[in-house]
Amino acid sequence: MDQYLPEKVNINGEQFRVYLTQEEIQQRLKQLGQQISQDYSDKKPIFIGVLNGAYIFLADIMRYVNIPCEVDFLKLSSYGDEKVSSGEVHDLKNIDADIKGRHVILIEDIVDTGLSMNYLYSKLSRLEPASLSIATLLHKQDATKHDVKIRYTGFKIPDLFVLGYGLDYAQEGRNLGQIYILEE
Ligand code: IMP
């Protein structure tokens, strides 16, 4: 069966259209995977995926990385059912791995205000990794208010709500095979 790739989708009464196709996403992930493989060629990085949104991005990008690597996950509180951030961030699940002295790459689906990544960067830094960098599939640059050092960005996008490819709206839409944007 083909992946779920409609041209338009209606979720929670809102209309979304395709913004980034499956092909565009895979093409970019291939480049990022190669870049990470080069940058960490003599290391064994550990990818830490931020649940739930980053699980598909992490699964795909890892398969373009051709050096030894490991994976772990953590979970933060989400937007709930809203399209705007609550402005608060809470831990829902911590990592299991000991990252002291390790090269860590935090894998996020989207950086919006930057609150979550700013929080996680400080939190994980305290665990004394050898290095810590951030890879995000999407970056709403105009919306970012908090200081975040992003090393790998898939796509810079406008400040509009998006979903699909792991990203949800009120928990729906994660199963879409590409990225959709809210129709204005
Ligand atoms: P930030 O802390 O404001 O940077 O928000 C980051 C988190 O908000 C992401 O991990 C997503 O879970 C969620 N988020 C931000 N923008 C969107 C969006 O357009 N669609 C779906 N989730 C989003």
Side-chain angles (χ1 to χ4, degrees), residues 88-103:
E88 284 178 35
V89 47
H90 305 284
D91 296 306
L92 293 180
K93 178 202 177 303
N94 277 317
I95 49 170
D96 297 315
D98 178 3
I99 60 165
K100 186 169 180 172
R102 299 294 308 272
H103 294 278

Side-chain angles (χ1 to χ4, degrees), residues 85-119:
S85 169
S86 64
E88 284 178 35
V89 47
H90 305 284
D91 296 306
L92 293 180
K93 178 202 177 303
N94 277 317
I95 49 170
D96 297 315
D98 178 3
I99 60 165
K100 186 169 180 172
R102 299 294 308 272
H103 294 278
V104 174
I105 307 177
L106 254 173
I107 303 282
E108 175 66 309
D109 54 354
I110 182 165
V111 174
D112 182 5
T113 65
L115 180 71
S116 310
M117 279 300 105
N118 179 287
Y119 168 82

Side-chain angles (χ1 to χ4, degrees), residues 59-175:
D60 278 354
I61 197 168
M62 266 193 95
R63 283 175 288 174
Y64 293 110
V65 169
N66 60 10
I67 53 166
C69 56
E70 295 177 18
V71 66
D72 199 357
F73 293 94
L74 54 76
K75 187 168 182 173
L76 295 180
S77 55
S78 74
Y79 272 26
D81 291 351
E82 305 302 325
K83 293 204 293 298
V84 285
S85 169
S86 64
E88 284 178 35
V89 47
H90 305 284
D91 296 306
L92 293 180
K93 178 202 177 303
N94 277 317
I95 49 170
D96 297 315
D98 178 3
I99 60 165
K100 186 169 180 172
R102 299 294 308 272
H103 294 278
V104 174
I105 307 177
L106 254 173
I107 303 282
E108 175 66 309
D109 54 354
I110 182 165
V111 174
D112 182 5
T113 65
L115 180 71
S116 310
M117 279 300 105
N118 179 287
Y119 168 82
L120 279 182
Y121 195 92
S122 314
K123 180 184 153 106
L124 295 185
S125 295
R126 290 196 287 275
L127 300 174
E128 300 175 30
S131 70
L132 177 58
S133 59
I134 294 175
T136 185
L137 175 64
L138 306 172
H139 185 195
K140 287 184 191 168
Q141 223 175 2
D142 294 342
T144 306
K145 302 185 204 92
H146 300 268
D147 183 35
V148 199
K149 276 185 244 119
I150 304 173
R151 183 160 183 194
Y152 305 101
T153 302
F155 302 91
K156 290 177 180 156
I157 65 163
D159 187 10
L160 285 174
F161 198 78
V162 289
L163 58 76
Y165 193 74
L167 289 101
D168 74 306
Y169 176 24
Q171 296 306 324
E172 278 186 58
R174 297 193 199 273
N175 54 325

